[in-house]
């Protein structure tokens, strides 16, 4: 490590890193050191000679004095063409650059005349924004001032034509890098809400297009810079990405209790900047669209929206007649109008509402409760409106418990948002299902509150959330009956999907468990089904897929039929409730005589039905030991990923249903699967050869990115799940052929698989097997322990 790098790290002041105000002081000291060192290099390079018309200038973080301990130096050698010759300028530049490289400092450098600075800025948007920060370091200050003023003049003069280019570059960058507020390993510079967005705000202000927010935005910027500085110190490198491996050390350096607290603060800062850049850029674009040549001042164009609000420059604003100070319901009215019109509330309106609107009385009046439910059901427009309300402090006045989940990270790989944003996204998803339930208002409340229990220290967020929801609903003033329903939905919001993916949906015990969870109410069951889909859809594509939707729908219908037998009978008499979802219970299948005869003579029957990106494969074959394992192996050999499997035996025939994904896009071919099953049953293992080759090539378990070493396998017996079978739940890291290996293990243990329910979730399997002795009946305790041990050994490769 060079003396310069050591000095820069010493200036970082690790002992005072977490002290209030230490960040700006540290960064100013680093900039002063950098300027002083570069001025020394300049004098050495000049060797006592005066170079008129030549100057060293800085751009980027060094110019702004907000660089980190190991940030690179962006330098420009600016010169007049009538001064030194090209060769002389090049030689002089080398005398500057080489000592910087020798010191181990990362350097981005260029040599340009004033005219070249102007030309580059006109052609390259990124260069133009950088040159707006051009700052004199050493040499002829006049040449630097000339270059900077020329670039700034052109930037303002061409603002109308370059604004669309700037907007598109921001949009592309945000789409590529994602939202800093919701990433577990964020890029602090380029992500939405990151450091580069602050440069966009400065550029918009420099163009005289609009002013930018200050205060909280500047504070948020400093907090992100503090995290960036901590990354430099912890890693010893000038990085901008906060990786999982570095989060604990950065949190400790910054004085946080743990990495979750660090990510929560970072997320909050990023949200502040993201909201500011989105709004400022939107207003700049609107101002350009609205500009027309006219004599005198331009009067604002206001379009009435209702409740005293107007549309103005793409935002919802309060009109002059609004009586903010005497109407506690006005924030709800304003939010509802804005969300329904897909408009954000203007920052001025939000500040006015936050500062002057009185608090709602407790319990809330009926009109407030109705407006709140309508707001939640307003659809996608609620996202931007809720963000503005939250950042301005209005949401926590309605729901004080919201502060505990605001910007809180979620470590689960299936979640793409922080807890609070996931709740809002769930609300948006649920708003599309309001016609599917009898009480959409209760659905929307449950969607907003279902994860409110994901607070620090909670052991079971569903139970914790139910208690918090009860308190919130009492404050809002819901009736006892409605409050009981919503609290139950919050407490049981994972029950339906867990039972659908881990239990046998045709087992009476499964249906009884779900019926108890909804207190025997069909209306509550329908609400739970809608909440389940909304929750999973909002979490991301890993949490909701065609096969998972089919399993949930199947269990929902089975439980509904049990709760409403008359209604179920009426549906059975109608046109096929085995419907387009393809989830007809296997036990209800009536097998044609010719099919039974065909299978009896040794020819498996295979049919394939596709639903979206998933495929249902129904296989009917003579029952035998190892059929489950052979089928799983064949499907894996053909490149299919098993998502679900239901196995049944009817009069000596195995009637098996498989749901698979096809990563390669191929559709399963029934004739090939039937042929290969026949060959394997006859002892020909060649069709399984491709799976063996895949196993040989695989270097280890398939893991989700960033998951680290796989956890050891867990297998447990769920004693209450069935009265007629032993239920074993297996959690393991997925790998090619794992399901086949488990099937072979159970066959070697002389156990029959009555049904299997398979789920692969973010690289982890969660499989449930209903097993019996070959003659039927549950396993004895000793046999159960043996089976569990064998499964664990198989999954762990022992």
């Amino acid at each position: 490590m060079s003396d310069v790098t050591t000095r820069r790290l010493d200036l970082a002041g690790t002992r005072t890193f977490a002290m209030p105000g230490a960040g700006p002081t540290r960064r100013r000291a680093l900039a002063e050191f950098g300027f002083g060192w570069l001025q020394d290099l300049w004098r050495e390079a000049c060797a006592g000679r005066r170079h008129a018309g030549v100057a060293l200038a800085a751009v980027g973080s060094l110019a702004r004095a907000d660089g980190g301990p190991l940030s690179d130096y962006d330098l420009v050698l600016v010169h007049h063409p009538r001064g030194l010759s090209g060769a002389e300028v090049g030689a002089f530049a080398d005398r500057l650059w080489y000592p910087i490289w020798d010191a181990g400092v990362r350097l981005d450098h260029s040599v340009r005349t004033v005219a070249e600075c102007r030309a580059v800025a006109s052609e390259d948007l990124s260069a133009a924004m950088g040159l707006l920060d051009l700052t004199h370091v050493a040499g002829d200050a006049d040449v630097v001032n000339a270059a900077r003023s020329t670039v700034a003049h052109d930037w303002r003069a061409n603002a109308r034509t370059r604004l669309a280019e700037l907007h598109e570059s921001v949009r592309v960058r945000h789409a590529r890098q994602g939202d800093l507020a919701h990433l577990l390993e964020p890029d602090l510079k380029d992500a939405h809400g990151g450091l580069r967005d602050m440069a966009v705000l400065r550029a918009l202000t420099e163009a005289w297009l609009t002013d930018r927010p200050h205060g909280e935005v500047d504070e948020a910027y400093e907090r992100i810079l503090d995290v960036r500085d901590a990354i430099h110190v912890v890693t010893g490198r000038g990085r901008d990405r906060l990786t999982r491996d570095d989060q604990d050390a950065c949190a400790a350096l910054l004085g946080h209790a743990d990495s979750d607290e660090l990510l929560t603060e970072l997320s909050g800062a990023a949200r502040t900047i993201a909201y500011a850049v989105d709004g400022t850029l939107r207003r700049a674009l609107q101002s350009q669209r609205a500009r027309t040549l006219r004599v005198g001042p331009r009067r604002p164009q206001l379009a009435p929206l209702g409740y005293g609000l107007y549309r103005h420059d793409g935002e919802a604003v309060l009109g002059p007649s609004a009586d903010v100070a005497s109407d506690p319901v006005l924030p709800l009215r304003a939010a509802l109008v804005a969300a329904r019109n897909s408009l954000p509330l203007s920052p001025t309106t939000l500040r006015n509402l936050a500062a002057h609107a009185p608090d709602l009385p407790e319990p809330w009046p009926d009109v407030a409760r109705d407006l709140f439910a309508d707001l939640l059901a307003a659809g996608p427009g609620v996202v931007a409106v809720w963000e503005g309300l939250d950042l301005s402090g209005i949401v926590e006045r309605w729901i004080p418990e919201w502060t505990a989940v605001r910007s809180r990270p979620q470590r689960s790989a299936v979640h793409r948002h922080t807890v609070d944003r996931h709740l809002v996204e769930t609300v948006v998803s649920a708003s599309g299902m309001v016609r599917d339930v009898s009480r959409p208002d209760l659905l929307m409340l449950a969607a907003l509150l279902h994860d409110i229990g994901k607070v620090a220290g909670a052991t079971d967020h569903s139970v914790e959330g139910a208690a918090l929801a009860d308190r919130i609903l009492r404050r809002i003033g819901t009736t006892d009956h409605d409050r009981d329903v919503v609290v139950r939905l919050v407490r049981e919001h994972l029950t339906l999907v867990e039972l659908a993916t881990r239990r046998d949906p045709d087992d009476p015990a499964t249906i009884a468990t779900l019926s108890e969870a909804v207190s025997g109410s069909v209306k509550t069951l329908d609400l739970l089904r809608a909440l389940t889909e909304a929750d999973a859809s909002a979490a991301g594509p890993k949490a909701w897929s065609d096969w998972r939707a089919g399993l949930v729908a199947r269990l929902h219908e089975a439980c509904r039929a049990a709760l409403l037998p008359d209604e179920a009978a009426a549906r059975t008499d109608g046109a096929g409730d085995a419907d387009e979802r393809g989830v007809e219970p296997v036990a209800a299948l009536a097998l044609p005589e010719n099919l039974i005869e065909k299978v009896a003579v040794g020819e498996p029957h295979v049919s394939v039905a596709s639903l979206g990106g998933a495929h249902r494969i129904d296989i009917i074959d003579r029952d035998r030991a190892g059929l489950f394992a052979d089928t799983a192996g064949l499907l894996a050999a053909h490149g299919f990923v098993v998502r679900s499997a239901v196995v049944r035996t009817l009069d000596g025939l195995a009637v098996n249903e498989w749901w698979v994904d096809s990563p390669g896009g191929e559709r399963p071919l029934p004739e090939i699967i039937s042929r290969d099953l026949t060959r394997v049953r006859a002892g020909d293992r060649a069709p399984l050869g491709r799976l063996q080759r895949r196993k040989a090539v695989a270097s280890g378990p398939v893991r989700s990115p960033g998951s680290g070493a796989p956890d050891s396998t867990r297998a447990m017996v769920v004693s209450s799940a069935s009265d007629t079978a032993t239920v074993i739940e297996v959690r393991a890291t997925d790998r090619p052929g794992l399901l086949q290996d488990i099937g072979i293990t159970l066959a070697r243990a002389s156990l029959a698989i009555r049904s299997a329910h398979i789920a692969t979730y973010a690289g982890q399997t969660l499989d449930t097997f209903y097993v019996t002795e070959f003659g039927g009946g549950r396993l004895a305790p000793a046999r159960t322990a043996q089976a569990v041990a064998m499964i664990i050994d198989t999954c762990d490769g022992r």
Side-chain angles (χ1 to χ4, degrees):
M1 186 179 297
S2 70
D3 293 340
V4 172
T5 300
T6 301
R7 178 59 178 155
R8 293 173 76 188
L9 287 173
D10 289 342
L11 287 170
T14 55
R15 292 183 180 178
T16 61
F17 219 85
M19 292 179 61
T25 302
R26 174 177 62 250
R27 287 183 281 275
R28 284 194 298 270
L30 286 167
E32 291 171 0
F33 168 77
F35 272 65
W37 179 56
L38 292 172
Q39 289 162 0
D40 290 341
L41 294 181
W42 174 271
R43 286 188 288 270
E44 293 175 7
C46 289
R49 296 177 56 191
R50 181 176 180 275
H51 295 289
V54 183
L56 181 64
V59 294
S61 61
L62 180 61
R64 297 187 300 269
D66 62 12
L70 297 178
S71 292
D72 55 355
Y73 285 175
D74 295 322
L75 302 177
V76 184
L77 188 63
V78 189
H79 64 101
H80 281 305
R82 292 188 299 272
L84 297 178
S85 67
E88 289 174 324
V89 171
F92 184 69
D94 287 343
R95 293 199 296 274
L96 284 171
W97 308 150
Y98 275 98
I100 299 174
W101 287 323
D102 291 342
V105 176
R106 293 186 304 167
L107 174 65
D108 186 0
H109 60 90
S110 60
V111 179
R112 295 189 179 116
T113 64
V114 173
E116 287 170 342
C117 288
R118 185 179 191 182
V120 168
S122 66
E123 297 171 359
D124 188 319
L125 178 66
S126 178
M129 293 175 62
L131 287 169
L132 291 173
D133 294 325
L134 193 70
T135 301
H136 173 262
V137 176
D140 191 342
D142 290 341
V143 71
V144 176
N145 293 334
R148 177 166 180 161
S149 62
T150 300
V151 170
H153 174 271
D154 290 349
W155 180 252
R156 289 189 290 271
N158 299 315
R160 293 189 65 183
T161 58
R162 305 211 72 171
L163 184 57
E165 181 186 5
L166 175 60
H167 177 247
E168 178 62 14
S169 71
V170 170
R171 186 194 66 79
V172 170
R173 173 168 56 81
H174 289 171
R176 183 176 63 249
Q177 296 294 341
D179 285 310
L180 194 160
H182 305 297
L183 296 171
L184 284 177
E185 292 189 318
D187 185 318
L188 303 189
K189 178 179 283 188
D190 289 327
H192 187 200
L195 301 175
R196 201 175 293 281
D197 279 343
M198 198 67 174
V200 173
L201 289 173
R202 286 191 292 264
L204 291 172
T205 304
E206 189 75 24
W208 296 354
L209 291 171
T210 181
D211 194 11
R212 72 167 182 86
H214 295 274
E216 291 183 352
V217 174
D218 293 330
E219 294 172 3
Y221 183 62
E222 293 294 339
R223 287 198 296 272
I224 297 178
L225 288 175
D226 286 344
V227 178
R228 188 274 320 271
D229 293 353
I231 295 173
H232 288 193
V233 172
V234 167
T235 65
R237 298 181 181 181
R239 294 176 175 172
D240 296 311
R241 184 175 296 279
L242 178 61
T243 65
R244 285 181 175 87
D245 292 340
D246 302 324
Q247 288 172 5
D248 288 336
C250 288
L253 185 60
L254 290 167
H256 293 292
D258 54 33
S259 58
D260 277 0
E261 186 178 285
L262 166 65
L263 289 175
T264 298
E265 182 178 89
L266 180 62
S267 173
R271 288 173 60 185
T272 299
I273 292 178
Y275 190 78
V277 76
D278 291 347
T280 304
L281 192 54
R282 181 179 60 251
R283 287 187 289 277
L285 290 166
Q286 287 290 342
S287 70
Q288 289 304 304
R289 296 189 187 107
R291 286 182 66 178
T292 56
L293 293 174
R294 63 178 69 203
V295 178
R298 182 171 66 90
R299 303 183 68 178
Q301 301 297 309
L302 300 176
L305 297 171
Y307 291 129
L309 274 88
Y310 296 84
R311 182 196 303 267
H312 173 63
D313 281 351
E315 296 175 333
V317 301
L318 279 174
S321 62
D323 187 4
V324 179
S326 64
D327 187 0
V329 181
L330 185 58
L332 283 167
R333 298 186 195 277
L336 175 59
V337 168
R340 282 183 171 172
N341 288 275
S342 297
L343 295 171
L345 287 164
S346 76
T348 301
T349 294
L350 285 168
R351 287 194 296 269
N352 194 3
L353 291 171
H356 302 295
D359 290 334
L360 285 164
E362 296 181 12
W364 289 9
D366 291 346
V367 64
R369 206 160 45 248
D370 293 342
L371 286 169
F372 191 58
D374 289 345
L375 169 63
L376 298 179
V382 77
V383 175
V385 172
W386 191 274
E387 183 75 353
L389 294 168
D390 192 15
L391 292 175
S392 63
I394 294 175
V395 169
E396 65 186 69
R397 288 169 59 184
W398 295 340
I399 308 174
E401 295 81 1
W402 192 262
T403 58
V405 296
R406 179 187 294 127
S407 300
R408 185 160 182 79
Q410 303 203 75
R411 298 290 182 174
S412 170
V414 302
H415 277 285
R416 55 185 172 180
H417 296 118
T418 53
V419 176
D420 58 333
R421 179 61 179 272
H422 170 68
L423 292 174
V424 176
E425 293 288 344
T426 303
V427 165
V428 174
S429 295
S431 68
M433 307 174 197
V434 293
R435 292 180 178 86
D436 299 337
V437 296
S438 60
R439 289 292 306 275
D441 55 332
L442 302 187
L443 172 62
M444 304 315 300
L445 286 171
L448 182 70
L449 301 176
H450 75 278
D451 274 352
I452 198 71
K454 285 187 174 178
V455 297
T459 55
D460 187 334
H461 78 274
S462 299
V463 174
E464 181 75 18
L468 292 173
D470 183 81
R471 187 166 72 201
I472 294 167
L473 295 171
R474 289 181 185 275
R475 186 185 307 119
I476 291 176
T478 56
T479 65
D480 291 345
H481 172 269
D482 290 352
R483 186 176 68 252
D484 289 345
V485 171
V486 176
V487 169
R488 182 176 292 274
L489 290 172
V490 172
R491 185 173 58 247
E492 306 292 346
H493 73 271
L494 296 176
T495 299
L496 176 55
V497 70
E498 289 180 347
L499 289 174
T501 56
R502 304 179 191 180
R503 301 289 178 264
D504 182 352
D506 296 323
D507 194 295
T510 303
I511 296 175
T513 300
L514 180 57
S515 299
E516 182 181 356
V518 298
S519 191
S521 167
V522 172
K523 292 181 179 180
T524 305
L525 175 65
D526 291 343
L527 286 167
L528 181 60
R529 190 214 64 78
L531 177 60
T532 298
E533 180 176 346
D535 180 18
S537 299
K542 293 180 180 179
W544 194 247
S545 58
D546 292 332
W547 66 271
R548 189 174 290 268
L551 293 175
V552 167
R554 175 176 179 172
L555 179 55
H556 169 254
E557 290 299 324
C559 188
R560 214 174 193 279
L563 294 175
L564 283 178
D566 295 338
E567 184 176 322
R571 287 198 304 273
T572 303
D573 293 339
D577 194 52
D579 70 314
E580 68 275 6
R581 289 188 297 268
V583 293
E584 179 185 7
V586 177
L589 289 175
L591 303 180
E593 285 296 329
N594 61 338
L595 188 151
I596 295 176
E597 294 174 358
K598 172 184 172 183
V599 174
V601 298
E603 184 178 348
H605 169 80
V606 180
S607 64
V608 176
S610 298
L611 177 64
H615 307 280
R616 168 177 164 170
I617 305 174
D618 289 303
I619 300 175
I620 304 174
D621 200 357
R622 288 186 297 184
D623 192 27
R624 60 180 175 84
L627 176 61
F628 176 87
D630 288 344
T631 308
L634 282 174
L635 294 175
H638 285 286
F640 301 117
V641 177
V642 176
R643 295 301 188 188
S644 154
V646 179
V647 182
R648 290 289 184 274
T649 301
L650 299 176
D651 298 327
L653 297 181
V655 184
N656 300 343
E657 171 191 316
W658 301 80
W659 283 84
V660 302
D661 282 347
S662 178
E666 299 88 354
R667 186 178 187 275
L669 298 177
E671 59 274 17
I672 293 179
I673 296 174
S674 177
R675 180 200 65 195
D676 288 350
L677 279 172
T678 302
R679 291 176 61 186
V680 171
R681 183 180 59 200
D684 182 1
R685 311 301 289 180
L688 297 171
R690 278 192 292 177
L691 175 58
Q692 301 307 317
R693 288 191 292 273
R694 288 183 63 203
K695 287 182 178 181
V697 170
S699 59
V702 178
R703 304 174 196 149
S704 57
S707 62
D711 295 330
S712 59
T713 300
R714 288 188 294 166
M716 63 188 75
V717 177
V718 187
S719 57
S720 61
S722 175
D723 295 329
T724 57
T726 298
V727 181
I728 302 175
E729 187 174 274
V730 182
R731 302 187 185 195
T733 302
D734 196 19
R735 58 177 169 80
L738 176 63
L739 192 57
Q740 181 202 30
D741 291 344
I742 294 175
I744 291 173
T745 297
L746 293 175
R748 286 175 178 169
S750 299
L751 299 177
I753 302 175
R754 196 184 75 184
S755 68
H757 309 275
I758 312 304
T760 303
Y761 212 51
Q764 300 292 309
T765 65
L766 204 163
D767 304 338
T768 307
F769 298 92
Y770 284 64
V771 298
T772 66
E773 299 288 0
F774 268 122
R778 301 179 66 178
L779 277 59
R783 288 275 285 157
T784 300
Q786 179 189 35
V788 168
M790 293 176 67
I791 289 173
I792 292 175
D793 287 346
T794 297
C795 294
D796 289 344
R798 292 197 290 266

